[in-house]
Amino acid sequence: MKDESLKNQVALVTGSSSGLGKAVAIYLGKAGAKVAVNYHSNEEGANDTVKQIKDAGGEAFAIQADVADEESVENLFDKVFSTYNNLDILVSNAGIQKDAPFTEMKLKDWRLVLNTILDGAFLCSQVAVRYFQKRGIITDISNSAGKIIFMSSVHQDIPWAGHINYATAKGGLTEFMRTLSQEVANQKIRVNSIAPGAIKTDINKDVWSDEEKKKKLLELIPYNRLGKPEDVAEAALWLASDKSEYVNGTTIFVDGGMSLYPGFIGNG
Ligand code: BGC
């Protein structure tokens, strides 16, 4: 049976030219949502996401924007509204890693990661929430006035030496998500996060493409395999649909058990 759980809905997925964002955009598109495929610099990747959605019978278009820049975000949403005249789902996914030992980390890389993850979440969800509040619920479409999904990480909880900018941003994103949900849930706006573990994408290619490093990484995953972007996309689809209507202000971990302190297996 064809999945039409998001029929007539409009979704914006930031950072959907590759990796998790790409898989999420394709899943939402296949479930019937019209998808705005945002990218920062990888136009080719975004066009491919659009193509995959269209090939599956869906609707999508690609649009460049820097989620950390206020004007760019305003243009992004203007384009979404002028193209699809609506918005139901925001997946605030755009993220970046700029790793370095703490004492060597440059302020510019600290800021780039925090700005992309936190300013991006702030700017995009602010426009989305204002719109959802103004529009309210359209019962034919969804029981909620709007849905926001943040792409977090297991590192919202697990400290990560050598990645202090990233772990700090994801930790902050968690309290941002929870506070926003507390603030807008009574308007039937649903806000949640997904916390992926080690999913095989470009962001961690240097680890999974090296046999030694991959072996060590697998020791951190009780389920003993790397995640696939589709594992995360399944969770996003569920959070975007009314099937999860009563789920508010929470994080779904999609991590093969990475957050279960696997170092304690046979230890401690
Ligand atoms: C990071 C990946 C990492 C994973 C598990 C993610 O948030 O982006 O690079 O493999 O967490 O540590």
Side-chain angles (χ1 to χ4, degrees):
M1 202 176 72
K2 194 166 180 262
D3 180 4
E4 295 198 324
S5 51
L6 302 182
K7 197 168 165 235
N8 294 329
Q9 301 203 38
V10 175
L12 165 60
V13 185
T14 67
S16 49
S17 54
S18 68
L20 302 182
K22 185 182 198 87
V24 170
I26 293 169
Y27 259 59
L28 301 189
K30 284 186 177 169
K34 296 176 194 149
V35 188
V37 174
N38 159 253
Y39 66 96
H40 180 261
S41 32
N42 182 3
E43 186 175 5
E44 203 183 312
N47 287 338
D48 178 69
T49 307
V50 169
K51 184 174 180 304
Q52 289 199 47
I53 294 171
K54 287 188 171 165
D55 286 352
E59 271 189 59
F61 77 102
I63 172 160
Q64 196 282 332
D66 175 356
V67 295
D69 180 85
E70 191 167 17
E71 209 183 310
S72 189
V73 169
E74 276 166 16
N75 291 337
L76 167 66
F77 278 81
D78 283 352
K79 188 77 199 295
V80 175
F81 293 133
S82 63
T83 308
Y84 291 141
N85 221 352
N86 206 356
L87 183 72
D88 303 282
I89 301 154
L90 165 67
V91 183
S92 180
N93 164 78
I96 188 167
Q97 279 184 228
K98 282 280 173 193
D99 313 327
F102 176 60
T103 50
E104 285 161 36
M105 189 172 284
K106 302 267 184 289
L107 180 61
K108 89 170 167 27
D109 288 340
W110 165 261
R111 284 194 175 142
L112 177 66
V113 171
L114 264 75
N115 290 349
T116 308
I117 294 171
L118 289 176
D119 293 14
F122 172 82
L123 290 170
C124 293
S125 58
Q126 192 175 53
V127 184
V129 166
R130 284 179 183 147
Y131 177 76
F132 295 153
Q133 286 176 334
K134 191 172 74 180
R135 186 199 62 177
I137 302 171
I138 303 181
T139 42
D140 284 353
I141 294 188
S142 170
N143 295 337
S144 305
K147 283 90 55 163
I148 298 178
I149 300 163
F150 292 110
M151 198 57 76
S152 185
S153 163
V154 286
H155 299 296
Q156 68 175 44
D157 285 352
I158 305 177
W160 202 15
H163 310 256
I164 200 165
N165 46 5
Y166 187 81
T168 302
K170 295 297 187 179
L173 183 63
T174 306
E175 218 43 30
F176 178 87
M177 176 279 290
R178 283 158 49 86
T179 301
L180 180 57
S181 181
Q182 195 193 56
E183 194 161 329
V184 300
N186 66 343
Q187 295 147 33
K188 297 282 184 290
I189 298 171
R190 299 202 296 112
V191 186
N192 292 287
S193 290
I194 299 174
I199 314 293
K200 200 172 173 188
T201 68
D202 285 350
I203 210 168
N204 49 13
K205 193 170 178 190
D206 61 320
V207 182
W208 54 258
S209 57
D210 176 311
E211 275 313 312
E212 245 339 276
K213 286 186 186 164
K214 184 175 165 194
K215 199 165 152 257
K216 278 184 75 186
L217 175 60
L218 284 173
E219 285 170 15
L220 298 176
I221 309 171
Y223 201 70
N224 202 33
R225 74 158 168 85
L226 286 177
K228 298 176 291 208
E230 291 73 19
D231 293 322
V232 173
E234 288 283 2
L237 176 57
W238 184 72
L239 280 177
S241 80
D242 279 358
K243 288 181 187 159
S244 62
E245 186 190 344
Y246 207 53
V247 178
N248 287 263
T250 200
T251 300
I252 299 191
F253 283 75
V254 181
D255 68 350
M258 192 176 228
S259 46
L260 298 173
Y261 298 92
F264 275 79
I265 299 171
N267 222 329

